[in-house]
Amino acid sequence: MAARVLVIGSGGREHTLAWKLAQSNHVKEVLVAPGNAGTACSKKISNADISISNHRALAKFCKDEGIEFVVVGPEAPLAAGIVGNLTAAGVRCFGPTAEAARLESSKRFAKEFMDRHGIPTARWEAFTEPELACNFIRSVDFPALVVKASGLAAGKGVTVARNRKEACSAVQRIMQDKTLGAAGETVVIEELLEGEEVSCLCFTDGLTVAAMPPAQDHKRLLERDHGPNTGGMGAYCPVPQVSKDLLLEIKDAILQRTVDGMRRDGVPYTGVLYAGIMLTKDGPKVLEFNCRFGDPECQVILPLLKSDLYEVIQSALDGRLCQSLPVWLENRAALTVVMASQGYPGDYTKGVEITGFAEAHSLGLEVFHAGTALKDGKVVTNGGRVLAVTAIRENLVLALEEARKGLAAIKFEGAVYRKDIGHRAIAFLDQQPRGLTYKDSGVDIEAGNMLVKKIKPLAKATSRPGCRVDLGGFAGLCDLRVAGFRDPLLACGTDGVGTKLKIAQQCNKHDTVGQDLVAMCVNDILAQGAEPLFFLDYFSCGKLDLGTAEAVVAGIAKACVEAGCALLGGETAEMPDMYPPGEYDLAGFAVGAMERDEQLPHLEDIAEGDMVIGVASSGLHSNGFSLVRKVVAKSSLQYSSPAPDGSNQTLGDLLLTPTRIYSRSLLPILRSGHVKALAHITGGGLLENIPRVLPQRLGVDLDACAWKIPAVFSWLQQQGHLSEEEMARTFNCGVGVVLVVSRSLMVPVLEDLRLHREEAWEIGVVVACPEGHPRVKVRHLMEAMHANPAALKNGVVDSPSSIRPKQARVAVLISGTGSNLQALIDGTREPGSAAHVVVVVSNKAAVAGLDRAERAGIPTRVIDHKLYKNREEFDTAVDQVLEEFSTDLVCLAGFMRILSGPFVRKWNGKMLNIHPSLLPSFRGSNAHEQALAAGVTVTGCTVHFVAEEVDAGQIVLQEAVPVKRGDTVATLSERVKLAEHRIFPAALQLVASGTVRLGEDGKLCYAEQD
């Protein structure tokens, strides 16, 4: 079952944690408290309005919201005891207790702990009196130049002095001037260590330590490590200066020894442990401990985590980290550059607009928000460190180049950043003499050769007459004469699998997409009447994974056998930088042949009255998956969730059902000469593919009740609120292939199809189609989808007794912002609604109401009244649209046109309007002005049937709104609008459900009166 998790914090570290957790198939939603603009509304991530300092209220929130566990980002809540308090309340929390977090919250405690447990660190002494501290600095026989506030100081409590005088000045500022408050009541004076500073972090469950790749932070504000100290201006990972042997030494001598020491002291440590380490000539020594991810280290470490972060955290919380150690990406480097506000780390301005996010993302960069906020729909600065621009590439040099491109794309006034992040590592690598190889560039020839060796027998098994497969040559050969052809035409087709691959990659299921690739190509050439002869594939990736590639090609070979064609050759392209890790793309090329007189379609033979036969699809096939993925992202399900059709599989498995291959079953029927045309229902759905095989003067009339629509289409329609037109234009809706046959041959063809084990139906007829009219009409599509015995509701199968009844089809007419339109859309999407909006019509272009409709997936039409001579002509054009969408009811939502008498009479009893007063008072366009002028204490709004006299139709529903002392038109209007948004959907429900109707006598009738 998909989980909800909560991340505590508001910085770039917390955005990164939420981003990584959201990648898990186990996670339905990540909440961030308080969060920032980057976590406000990003796919599965959103902000939570809950206090993080009131632990009792936070625990209640977690229980009420079904939070699986809490991840604490910053140090302050850890020191305040959030972990212990939440755990005591029954809420799982990832991080150390307040007592364990003293490793960070008290520098003195940490130094005493290290001395006690033999953990290497700098020589030190702690003081509570400034005079004693300065005497120590002046008299000690080592350079005591590091001054630390013992308490938490938000990363600003350390001064590395250049001399003893400067060190004493730092003591005075901290202890006498109290620049850091209570954090500086005790200071720790340390020996200045020399060497390379690195950050070594680990996950731990209190027993096992799982080290992360080392990272290096850049504290100074300016390039070449000049300027004041900051919270961190950038980082990179891994650190080449830390060898595998050295990292193992750090893990054993520092990280593991620390966790073991805490356990022996009776304070078990669970969470992330961060050791700031100096690589001295005497070996690694600890500078400080942090009890959480570093910032910006988190932004470069987590992007390299190959494992599921949710699973790693669960393992740590369960005390079984040793059974599920995290796996990290190899041969990749991550580098992040922090963009800060002008004036940071001192005073800075907030509220500066930031642009360029889309450009940065298009470059393949991750932009993690820190000090950002949303203001009037725009992202603005809200802190010192604003953003972290992160690049993940094959090496640090490439990562730095890509990050710099992001810095050029993202813009806000006064932005400060460094362009030399990683300079120490790059200098270190430049000193290592080593010749480049092709493998260094990311291309592994040996892996490619191994793949060919593995797939050779698979391809050889696809050989057929005329095509002998033997991979390894420059080209494959096909002998048409041996294949059995006398006077052949060749047909060729090419296609891919599209973004269905994204689901396969996310589900790590690669054995079915090969059939998709073959099917999409051979079904296309089948539409020409061609028998598939041979197939070529193209597999491209950033880095070749042998297991994945072998699974894909094995699927292609198996599908070629099913299609009756030979897998004659292919290309595997390993292209570093072109694809993110784990991603690949596919393209296929099919060539077939038919005798010259067997070519399809027979356009000259197709006539009005011919019958249309639909052959069942296996499901979605391979089209519309960009929309499918959007629907899944908005739904309550994950790809790992049980499939919504009630079958014993996951949603991912259901969506990955491979495309059906029709060549073996349909070719004998095509060769009989009984079929005039065959249309493969591919991209463009029913509406765009069937016309491709018809003469221009003809179209088809289909009845969706004639065929079986798989439940997955019903689920997609309901979850995505997709219109009939969108469904028919995007998906096959259960029909994979359409055949056109003469009426007299329909029954024999259907019998042949069933003999060949194809499910098929008579689904429509060929009709005359005047120019300019839709060439495919699909009747009853919505009704057919929701008349499915396995009807879907809220992502699960419902019993037949709960199938939704037929909904009234509503058209909404608007002229402007469409706030009432939004209320109608929201109302009709509530469970049990008797209506659904099928089209929105505006008499003005580019108004906000049209945007609302498009965001909701509702078709729109613009009919400009200025283009018509009179009201009657304009109303006729509107009426044609209403008929096109088989409209049952019309709602006027801020429609600023007076309708003609014929139009109103036609839609009498079927058209509703909302007026901003309690009719019959204050009719007309200035109702609020009239109410204020009359001095009434109560006004309101009214939903009524539209009559020929303005604002005079029968009243369906009203709501009163008080007029307050000092009200203006604007303030009164706002309160009345809220009432309008409540009663308009309610009135529509009354009419759509039949509870209220307009009787023949022009009076209201209620259902109980009938």
Side-chain angles (χ1 to χ4, degrees):
M1 184 175 179
R4 305 178 80 205
V5 298
L6 174 65
V7 175
I8 301 295
S10 61
R13 165 183 50 218
E14 288 73 40
H15 188 184
T16 310
L17 283 163
W19 168 80
K20 194 65 181 179
L21 284 164
Q23 294 174 9
S24 171
N25 289 333
H26 302 294
V27 175
K28 175 174 69 175
E29 184 178 14
V30 183
L31 299 178
V32 187
N36 53 43
T39 57
C41 50
S42 173
K43 294 184 179 177
K44 294 196 287 186
I45 307 170
S46 60
N47 291 338
D49 185 16
I50 181 68
S51 169
I52 62 173
S53 58
N54 185 336
H55 297 170
R56 180 176 297 177
L58 184 61
K60 183 178 185 302
F61 171 84
C62 291
K63 291 181 178 180
D64 291 345
E65 295 295 324
I67 299 298
E68 181 79 12
F69 59 71
V70 176
V71 181
V72 184
E75 62 274 19
L78 293 171
I82 190 172
V83 173
N85 291 336
L86 291 184
T87 302
V91 177
R92 286 160 68 86
C93 193
F94 183 65
T97 62
E99 193 174 2
R102 291 180 68 201
L103 281 174
E104 178 175 6
S105 63
S106 171
K107 301 292 187 293
R108 181 172 192 160
F109 172 87
K111 298 295 281 190
E112 291 171 347
F113 172 87
M114 286 187 274
D115 285 351
R116 190 164 64 250
H117 291 282
I119 296 167
T121 187
R123 288 175 285 182
W124 68 284
E125 192 65 65
F127 299 93
T128 56
E129 297 294 335
E131 295 82 5
L132 295 177
C134 289
N135 289 339
F136 178 78
I137 291 169
R138 286 190 286 263
S139 62
V140 75
D141 61 355
F142 57 82
L145 301 179
V146 181
V147 181
K148 296 181 178 180
S150 182
L152 294 177
K156 300 175 183 177
V158 179
T159 298
V160 180
R162 289 173 294 184
N163 51 54
R164 296 176 191 271
K165 181 179 180 181
E166 197 172 287
C168 288
S169 295
V171 170
Q172 300 297 329
R173 286 195 305 274
I174 294 171
M175 302 194 77
Q176 289 188 327
D177 300 344
K178 299 190 180 301
T179 55
L180 299 176
E185 290 178 357
T186 298
V187 296
V188 171
I189 310 299
E190 278 189 5
E191 172 189 12
L192 177 65
L193 298 177
E194 294 183 355
E196 193 88 36
E197 186 175 345
V198 295
S199 304
C200 294
L201 289 78
C202 68
F203 293 106
T204 181
D205 59 2
L207 189 66
T208 300
V209 163
M212 304 179 196
Q216 187 172 67
D217 186 11
H218 295 62
K219 288 291 186 186
R220 298 285 185 172
L221 179 70
L222 304 177
E223 292 179 9
R224 295 296 163 184
D225 298 321
H226 295 304
N229 263 342
T230 70
M233 293 301 293
Y236 65 90
C237 177
V239 179
Q241 301 93 307
V242 179
S243 66
K244 290 184 178 179
D245 289 342
L246 181 55
L247 182 60
L248 184 61
E249 179 186 345
I250 292 169
K251 173 181 176 289
D252 292 341
I254 295 174
L255 299 175
Q256 187 70 61
R257 193 173 293 180
T258 300
V259 171
D260 291 345
M262 293 295 285
R263 190 175 65 255
R264 283 196 293 270
D265 288 354
V267 188
Y269 189 104
T270 300
V272 170
L273 177 64
Y274 170 140
I277 290 173
M278 186 69 81
L279 305 179
T280 74
K281 58 182 176 53
D282 299 321
K285 294 186 178 182
V286 177
L287 297 172
E288 64 175 356
F289 284 120
N290 291 329
C291 296
R292 34 71 192 182
F293 272 107
D295 187 341
E297 289 93 342
C298 185
Q299 290 91 306
V300 290
I301 293 175
L302 284 186
L304 298 181
L305 178 62
K306 189 175 182 180
S307 300
D308 186 322
L309 179 59
Y310 172 91
E311 293 179 357
V312 173
I313 290 175
Q314 286 284 34
S315 298
L317 290 172
D318 292 340
R320 50 179 181 82
L321 188 59
C322 63
Q323 301 172 23
S324 183
L325 293 174
V327 178
W328 302 89
L329 293 174
E330 296 182 359
N331 302 316
R332 307 291 285 182
L335 183 144
T336 195
V337 181
V338 170
M339 300 183 75
S341 296
Q342 188 172 20
Y344 174 79
D347 295 334
Y348 48 82
T349 302
K350 297 182 180 181
V352 180
E353 183 181 356
I354 310 169
T355 61
F357 293 107
E359 292 87 341
H361 287 136
S362 70
L363 295 170
L365 302 171
E366 297 296 338
V367 180
F368 298 114
H369 291 236
T372 65
L374 289 175
K375 183 179 180 182
D376 299 328
K378 297 176 181 178
V379 179
V380 298
T381 63
N382 194 45
R385 291 191 296 168
V386 178
L387 301 168
V389 180
T390 304
I392 303 100
R393 294 295 183 268
E394 286 69 38
N395 57 58
L396 282 173
V397 174
L398 291 176
L400 179 57
E401 289 176 2
E402 293 303 305
R404 285 173 175 170
K405 294 177 185 177
L407 298 172
I410 296 176
K411 294 179 174 60
F412 61 91
E413 186 178 350
V416 177
Y417 51 83
R418 290 178 58 165
K419 295 181 180 178
D420 68 338
I421 301 301
H423 67 90
R424 293 192 194 89
I426 294 170
F428 174 83
L429 292 170
D430 286 343
Q431 295 171 3
Q432 311 303 308
R434 182 169 174 266
L436 286 175
T437 67
Y438 203 9
K439 191 170 184 178
D440 290 331
S441 70
V443 179
D444 192 339
I445 296 176
E446 292 181 5
N449 292 337
M450 180 63 70
L451 177 64
V452 173
K453 185 177 179 180
K454 286 175 174 287
I455 65 177
K456 259 190 174 184
L458 301 174
K460 194 174 186 67
T462 69
S463 295
R464 55 153 292 158
C467 295
R468 182 174 172 272
V469 179
D470 189 12
L471 298 185
F474 287 101
L477 302 176
C478 178
D479 189 327
L480 290 173
R481 187 176 300 170
V482 174
F485 291 92
R486 302 182 309 278
D487 182 24
L489 289 174
L490 291 180
C492 55
T494 182
D495 212 334
V497 181
T499 56
K500 187 174 186 177
L501 290 176
K502 298 284 282 187
I503 298 177
Q505 290 156 10
Q506 192 162 345
C507 296
N508 195 27
K509 180 177 173 59
H510 311 285
D511 57 344
T512 59
V513 293
Q515 178 169 329
D516 288 308
L517 185 67
V518 174
M520 295 300 288
C521 296
V522 300
N523 290 344
D524 277 353
I525 65 172
L526 188 65
Q528 303 297 138
E531 173 188 346
L533 295 176
F534 61 86
F535 188 82
L536 306 170
D537 73 89
Y538 178 82
F539 179 98
S540 58
C541 60
K543 182 171 181 58
L544 184 62
D545 182 287
L546 278 176
T548 298
E550 185 180 3
V552 171
V553 178
I556 292 172
K558 184 179 177 182
C560 284
V561 172
E562 185 178 339
C565 62
L567 178 54
L568 205 51
E571 166 71 2
T572 301
E574 189 173 23
M575 298 184 288
D577 302 331
M578 289 291 288
Y579 300 93
E583 291 193 7
Y584 59 85
D585 200 5
L586 295 174
F589 312 87
V591 175
M594 81 292 287
E595 298 297 347
R596 196 171 298 271
D597 60 355
E598 294 173 339
Q599 179 185 356
L600 290 178
H602 300 312
L603 293 176
E604 66 282 359
D605 294 338
I606 300 174
E608 187 176 350
D610 282 343
M611 303 307 295
V612 181
I613 292 175
V615 184
S617 68
S618 57
L620 291 167
H621 285 184
S622 299
N623 299 109
F625 273 84
S626 293
L627 178 56
V628 169
R629 290 167 52 241
K630 281 282 187 185
V631 171
V632 173
K634 288 186 173 183
S635 77
S636 61
L637 300 185
Q638 306 298 312
Y639 294 121
S640 57
S641 303
D645 64 348
S647 60
N648 188 25
Q649 58 182 335
T650 65
L651 174 60
D653 291 336
L654 175 65
L655 298 177
L656 290 173
T657 301
T659 308
R660 189 161 179 76
I661 296 173
Y662 296 99
S663 51
R664 285 197 185 271
S665 58
L666 295 192
L667 268 172
I669 299 171
L670 301 186
R671 296 292 178 256
S672 71
H674 293 166
V675 176
K676 297 182 179 183
L678 182 153
H680 177 206
I681 309 304
T682 177
L686 295 165
L687 300 188
E688 294 187 6
N689 285 291
I690 298 175
R692 296 166 71 179
V693 299
L694 296 176
Q696 282 296 323
R697 69 185 188 281
L698 298 177
V700 295
D701 187 343
L702 308 181
D703 185 351
C705 291
W707 74 83
K708 184 194 299 181
I709 301 178
V712 66
F713 295 102
S714 307
W715 182 79
L716 287 168
Q717 188 281 319
Q718 288 182 0
Q719 294 295 315
H721 306 294
L722 306 180
S723 66
E724 278 184 316
E725 183 180 16
E726 196 69 27
M727 291 296 299
R729 193 178 299 282
T730 306
F731 302 115
N732 65 59
C733 297
V735 177
V737 162
V738 161
L739 306 179
V740 178
V741 301
S742 63
R743 186 177 294 272
S744 61
L745 291 173
M746 183 188 65
V747 173
V749 171
L750 282 171
E751 290 176 352
D752 279 351
L753 286 164
R754 287 159 188 158
L755 284 173
H756 286 90
R757 298 185 177 180
E758 293 287 359
E759 189 173 10
W761 315 270
E762 170 198 344
I763 65 171
V765 64
V766 176
V767 296
C769 182
E771 186 176 352
H773 284 63
R775 298 182 66 197
V776 178
K777 183 174 183 179
V778 185
R779 292 180 288 112
H780 307 127
L781 181 57
M782 204 66 76
E783 292 88 338
M785 276 193 293
H786 299 300
N788 191 324
L792 297 167
K793 185 177 179 183
N794 297 328
V796 296
V797 176
D798 269 8
S799 64
S801 62
S802 64
I803 295 170
R804 188 186 340 203
K806 182 180 181 299
Q807 293 177 302
R809 300 170 62 81
V810 178
V812 183
L813 309 190
I814 66 170
S815 294
T817 59
S819 61
N820 273 317
L821 164 65
Q822 189 64 55
L824 292 171
I825 292 172
D826 295 341
T828 55
R829 290 183 173 178
E830 289 294 325
S833 173
H836 69 114
V837 179
V838 296
V839 66
V840 173
V841 182
S842 175
N843 66 309
K844 295 181 181 179
V847 295
L850 294 172
D851 294 334
R852 293 178 189 269
E854 289 171 4
R855 285 196 298 270
I858 298 170
T860 60
R861 296 288 188 271
V862 176
I863 304 175
D864 189 345
H865 61 279
K866 297 177 183 177
L867 302 178
Y868 296 87
K869 295 178 182 178
N870 51 49
R871 276 195 292 160
E872 286 74 12
E873 286 190 9
F874 170 72
D875 290 354
T876 299
V878 173
D879 188 58
Q880 287 175 350
V881 173
L882 303 185
E883 291 292 345
E884 177 189 347
F885 284 88
S886 305
T887 303
D888 298 313
L889 296 171
V890 180
C891 288
L892 308 183
F895 186 62
M896 307 303 292
R897 301 296 301 166
I898 296 176
L899 296 165
S900 63
F903 185 91
V904 174
R905 288 193 293 273
K906 176 175 179 179
W907 292 95
N908 185 43
K910 300 177 182 178
M911 184 159 49
L912 296 173
N913 181 45
I914 189 158
H915 183 75
S917 77
L918 294 175
L919 292 175
S921 299
F922 312 133
R923 297 182 183 181
S925 60
N926 59 347
H928 298 311
E929 288 91 335
Q930 293 181 58
L932 292 172
V936 296
T937 58
V938 175
T939 184
C941 52
T942 303
V943 180
H944 62 94
F945 283 108
V946 177
E948 289 189 64
E949 184 181 349
V950 175
D951 297 333
Q954 288 291 303
I955 294 170
V956 179
L957 208 56
Q958 291 184 312
E959 181 172 327
V961 175
V963 180
K964 296 182 179 180
R965 183 181 301 172
D967 256 338
T968 64
V969 170
T971 58
L972 180 59
S973 172
E974 284 305 308
R975 289 206 309 285
V976 172
K977 277 182 185 176
L978 296 177
E980 291 177 7
H981 297 168
R982 288 190 291 270
I983 70 164
F984 208 171
L988 174 60
Q989 176 72 3
L990 290 173
V991 176
S993 64
T995 304
V996 173
R997 62 182 176 83
L998 196 63
E1000 293 182 4
D1001 59 357
K1003 303 295 185 183
L1004 287 191
C1005 296
Y1006 294 87
E1008 59 267 27
Q1009 295 176 338
D1010 293 342

